[in-house]
Amino acid sequence: MGKQTYASTPRYRIYPTAQQRQQIDITIDAARFIHNYFLSKILEQWQATGEYPEYRKLQAQLPALRKDYPWLQTATSSAMQAALLHLIRAFKFCDCRRVNGLFPGTPHFKSRNRYQQSYRNSNSYTNIIVTGNRVKLPKIPNIKICRAPSICGRIVAATVTREGADSYYISFCYVPDPRPLPATGRAVGVDLGIKTYAVTSDGDSMELYHPDKRQLARLQYLRDQLRRQTKGSNRWKKTSEKIWRLNRKLSNRRKDSIHKITSKLVRNYDIICIESLYHQSMMSQNEYRYRAVKYSSWGEFKRQIRYKSERYGRQLVSVSRFFASSQLCSVCGYKYPRAKRLTVRNWTCPVCGAHHDRDANAATNILHEGLRLVNQASAA
């Protein structure tokens, strides 16, 4: 049996009543308390022995902890178990990065003053039920949603998020039903970049959303205003919320443009070849490169193209990042060393005389290498 894949819905705005809002806030506080409480315990053992306890041993302490702190009994147990599980997974992720030669920091404590806070509920014995524009959660029935969510599969979990003081959202994790798209018989290579976000081997260029000068000026004005205000004051809190709202709007528009790009690729091509870039090494070169690569969200692009390919029956091929896609001539295969410099945007092959655009040539080479890997795998 193959590995089970999961999908997530977009965030939907929910409108809880005053009593439902109180229950959500208590559960958020409980999940944050469990995270901070067990993080301090784990760090003590980590510093003493260099190891951290297993999830089962920590989970067995939850019933006694709920007796010591009676207010935890009003929160759902699945939310506290999920908070503990995510904490253990964070430490395991740090171990994996440390084995690969990286030096990650340990998980940090969560503050109650964060603008965005959330908790997660797992679905067991129909704890989570969606009926039209209403959703039932553990201990919180009949919550109104802005519109009926489109979920084609079995719901696994739901995440409730609070932003600011009065904005609540919900998203669902589910096992999608297979929905293969009709075959197109086409393959494409995609080159990701900073100057042009995505260039295909067919010559199509797709741009990522960028905020205009007015929005950037507004954001800078709010940051300057926040810097002059007293931290923790009412004016400081109002300005912080304005900054968070504007950043959220820009982030949502950027994710929306990535969704449109990845959906277009999945609809039009059967085989999609991309390059497995190593973001960390590119971000560490200079400050400009760090900001540009971070804003490009290549990791989000790969995540979306991966789960959409699995859901709709497309084949995703990842080409090694050591493959010299920008330096090879896509016509004769000659390697042009000067093309390694990013300032060289166009060049002419000295062997065959073909004139190349840097990004389009790289996308064509990625397509050729991806098809070679597909044929090699099928032959084996």
Side-chain angles (χ1 to χ4, degrees):
M1 186 176 179
K3 183 180 179 181
Q4 196 173 47
T5 59
Y6 298 93
S8 59
T9 65
R11 293 196 314 171
Y12 296 94
R13 182 75 180 267
I14 58 176
Y15 302 95
T17 62
Q19 185 177 2
Q20 293 171 344
R21 211 162 34 233
Q22 182 181 7
Q23 181 63 39
I24 292 175
D25 294 342
I26 291 175
T27 309
I28 288 176
D29 293 341
R32 184 180 64 251
F33 175 82
I34 292 298
H35 175 92
N36 293 339
Y37 178 85
F38 283 103
L39 178 57
S40 62
K41 299 291 185 183
I42 293 174
L43 289 178
E44 290 178 2
Q45 182 171 345
W46 181 276
Q47 295 173 358
T49 63
E51 299 178 352
Y52 54 86
E54 297 180 356
Y55 169 73
R56 297 295 180 184
K57 295 181 179 179
L58 297 178
Q59 185 186 21
Q61 302 177 21
L62 284 176
L65 190 64
R66 298 183 73 179
K67 292 181 180 179
D68 296 337
Y69 300 91
W71 68 274
L72 292 177
Q73 298 179 7
T74 57
T76 58
S77 59
S78 61
M80 292 184 284
Q81 292 174 1
L84 179 58
L85 181 60
H86 292 166
L87 178 61
I88 296 298
R89 286 178 177 175
F91 274 95
K92 290 183 179 180
F93 178 71
C94 290
D95 285 349
C96 293
R97 290 172 62 85
R98 197 173 288 109
V99 168
N100 293 329
L102 302 176
F103 302 95
T106 57
H108 59 273
F109 292 93
K110 294 184 177 180
S111 170
R112 64 180 303 174
N113 296 323
R114 291 171 57 193
Y115 179 79
Q116 184 182 88
Q117 305 202 41
S118 63
Y119 74 90
R120 183 182 177 94
N121 271 328
S122 58
N123 186 19
S124 58
Y125 303 106
T126 64
N127 283 339
I128 303 172
I129 301 176
V130 178
T131 307
N133 62 343
R134 301 280 176 169
V135 59
K136 172 187 174 296
L137 296 176
K139 296 189 177 183
I140 315 176
N142 201 25
I143 304 177
K144 183 181 178 181
I145 315 181
C146 62
R147 61 186 178 90
S150 56
I151 302 175
C152 299
R154 178 175 59 86
I155 297 177
V156 177
T159 301
V160 180
T161 305
R162 183 186 67 202
E163 289 190 352
D166 56 355
S167 300
Y168 295 85
Y169 301 87
I170 189 171
S171 62
F172 301 93
C173 176
Y174 64 98
V175 179
D177 297 331
R179 292 179 289 173
L181 292 173
T184 63
R186 302 170 64 190
V188 68
V190 183
D191 178 66
L192 298 177
I194 297 175
K195 189 176 181 63
T196 303
Y197 185 70
V199 178
T200 67
S201 54
D202 294 340
D204 189 12
S205 299
M206 291 169 280
E207 296 292 342
L208 185 65
Y209 168 79
H210 287 275
D212 55 26
K213 293 183 179 179
R214 181 183 60 83
Q215 292 171 325
L216 294 176
R218 172 66 175 169
L219 185 60
Q220 186 61 41
Y221 169 77
L222 291 174
R223 287 173 176 171
D224 293 340
Q225 192 177 30
L226 183 70
R227 196 178 300 114
R228 293 190 297 267
Q229 294 169 347
T230 304
K231 186 174 182 180
S233 63
N234 290 333
R235 289 182 180 273
W236 184 87
K237 292 179 181 178
K238 290 181 180 179
T239 307
S240 298
E241 187 163 350
K242 289 180 182 179
I243 294 175
W244 274 101
R245 288 181 184 275
L246 182 55
N247 280 325
R248 182 183 64 186
K249 180 186 292 186
L250 300 179
S251 176
N252 289 341
R253 289 183 178 180
R254 183 170 67 251
K255 288 182 180 180
D256 178 69
S257 63
I258 297 176
H259 271 292
K260 291 177 180 177
I261 293 173
T262 53
S263 298
K264 180 180 179 181
L265 293 173
V266 170
R267 283 196 303 265
N268 297 332
Y269 300 98
D270 289 343
I271 301 176
I272 303 171
C273 307
I274 62 175
E275 192 174 10
S276 59
L277 299 174
Y278 188 57
H279 310 155
Q280 284 77 6
S281 63
M282 300 181 68
M283 293 170 67
S284 61
Q285 294 179 6
N286 54 61
E287 184 179 359
Y288 169 76
R289 181 65 60 80
Y290 172 83
R291 292 182 179 180
V293 173
K294 186 177 181 180
Y295 184 84
S296 298
S297 302
W298 290 335
E300 177 66 14
F301 176 88
K302 291 182 179 180
R303 186 191 70 83
Q304 291 186 16
I305 199 72
R306 186 179 297 112
Y307 85 77
K308 290 180 181 180
S309 299
E310 294 175 353
R311 184 185 304 180
Y312 298 109
R314 302 310 195 194
Q315 186 174 3
L316 181 64
V317 183
S318 182
V319 177
S320 173
R321 65 177 183 268
F322 300 108
F323 176 68
S325 58
S326 300
Q327 304 175 48
L328 296 176
C329 174
S330 57
V331 178
C332 65
Y334 172 76
K335 189 172 182 179
Y336 186 62
R338 291 186 59 189
K340 190 174 183 179
R341 294 184 295 180
L342 296 177
T343 55
V344 179
R345 309 307 303 177
N346 297 276
W347 57 280
T348 302
C349 179
V351 177
C352 65
H355 185 72
H356 297 295
D357 174 78
R358 179 186 183 88
D359 298 331
N361 178 67
T364 304
N365 287 326
I366 290 173
L367 173 62
H368 294 165
E369 179 66 12
L371 293 179
R372 187 190 68 82
L373 295 175
V374 171
N375 295 331
Q376 182 180 357
S378 60

